[in-house]
Amino acid sequence: MKIYEVSSYEELSEKAADIIAKVVKEKPDCVLGLATGSSPVGTYKELIKRYEAGELDFSNVRSVNLDEYVGLDGSNEQSYRYFMDKNLFDHINIQKFNTNVPSGISDNMHGECERYENMINGIGGVDIQLLGIGHDGHIGFNEPADNFPVKTHVVELEETTIRANSRFFDNIEDVPKRAITMGIGTIMKSKKILLIASGADKRQIVEKAFYGPVTPEVPASILQFHPDFTLVYCFN
Ligand code: F6R
């Protein structure tokens, strides 16, 4: 486990972008595992800046996102597909057909989970997975549980997650109650994993997850066992 403590969100975003950019340069057709939420917005801005400066080429890069709300299609502004288009894909030369976000509107969600899992394996697995962390230790939408979910699956969201995510919606009632997410096993198969956490409110969970015991009650704690895991955090 490599740990970098930085002093600002800007520095965190630059550090994360450095790590991702290195993978893109070394392997131009790499598979990037991507996340949504507040944490990666600065990282995506940095990647866009480097693309605009001619330092990065995404034309052969593939991407897979961690998760999506059940019931929202990609044209819905709250969907994670929409978030990715607006915060990254529309600003770089990645080919849209090379970007993958699980479908939240499949009429066979079980089949969609299986398709997504097989698709990730079929394109050779994830070279680097970017993650944020929830206040309860969730990664993707893998909430605290009695065991670590292995594969892509549908989850009922915890009240705390619904509350935290309601900041992106007009009303808390509009926050979907279910999501489709890569499993912990799916995430752990990534060749490299990079988790970014910023803000004083993340201190407690970062300490619990990475300096405490590994337990499915704190899903992110399993990352301690990953052979190539990097944590970048700032608590300002
Ligand atoms: C997002 C995701 C979530 C977030 C987590 C932290 O695709 O899977 O696990 O990474 O909820 O969210 P922020 O960054 O908004 O604090």
Side-chain angles (χ1 to χ4, degrees), residues 35-40 66-67 80 132-134 138-141 167 202:
T36 62
S38 311
S39 308
L66 281 169
D67 44 16
Y80 286 176
I133 183 169
H138 70 242
I139 48 174
F141 272 121
R167 69 191 192 277
K202 292 283 171 82

Side-chain angles (χ1 to χ4, degrees), residues 34-41 65-68 80 84 130-136 138-142 161 164-165 167-168 181 196-198 201-202:
L34 301 173
T36 62
S38 311
S39 308
V41 171
N65 260 78
L66 281 169
D67 44 16
E68 179 60 281
Y80 286 176
M84 289 311 302
L130 177 64
L131 298 173
I133 183 169
H135 293 112
D136 59 2
H138 70 242
I139 48 174
F141 272 121
N142 295 281
T161 304
N165 290 2
R167 69 191 192 277
F168 300 114
T181 180
I196 51 177
S198 87
D201 58 315
K202 292 283 171 82

Side-chain angles (χ1 to χ4, degrees), residues 31-180:
V31 176
L32 298 181
L34 301 173
T36 62
S38 311
S39 308
V41 171
T43 306
Y44 296 153
K45 283 200 176 118
E46 264 304 313
L47 291 174
I48 293 166
K49 216 157 79 185
R50 293 170 196 206
Y51 161 71
E52 286 171 345
E55 291 166 30
L56 284 178
D57 175 16
F58 292 90
S59 57
N60 291 312
V61 167
R62 281 87 46 85
S63 73
V64 294
N65 260 78
L66 281 169
D67 44 16
E68 179 60 281
Y69 286 119
V70 170
L72 302 190
D73 83 2
S75 63
N76 187 308
E77 291 184 15
Q78 313 298 346
S79 72
Y80 286 176
R81 158 56 74 181
Y82 189 92
F83 175 100
M84 289 311 302
D85 286 348
K86 296 299 154 203
N87 285 284
L88 183 63
F89 300 152
D90 287 351
H91 309 282
I92 58 174
N93 66 337
I94 197 165
Q95 308 197 61
K96 277 288 170 73
F97 63 81
N98 277 335
T99 68
N100 299 279
V101 180
S103 168
I105 51 154
S106 171
D107 46 19
N108 174 5
M109 286 309 295
H110 177 72
E112 172 60 9
C113 292
E114 222 172 277
R115 182 199 70 79
Y116 202 72
E117 191 73 27
N118 292 337
M119 179 277 298
I120 296 171
N121 292 332
I123 60 174
V126 175
D127 289 295
I128 182 163
Q129 177 66 55
L130 177 64
L131 298 173
I133 183 169
H135 293 112
D136 59 2
H138 70 242
I139 48 174
F141 272 121
N142 295 281
E143 305 273 13
D146 296 337
N147 49 48
F148 292 108
V150 178
K151 291 185 172 174
T152 302
H153 59 292
V154 170
V155 283
E156 303 290 327
L157 302 186
E158 295 289 337
E159 202 46 49
T160 50
T161 304
I162 292 175
R163 222 174 307 121
N165 290 2
S166 68
R167 69 191 192 277
F168 300 114
F169 291 78
D170 290 339
N171 295 302
I172 193 162
E173 293 75 37
D174 297 339
V175 184
K177 307 282 179 290
R178 294 195 307 152
I180 173 170

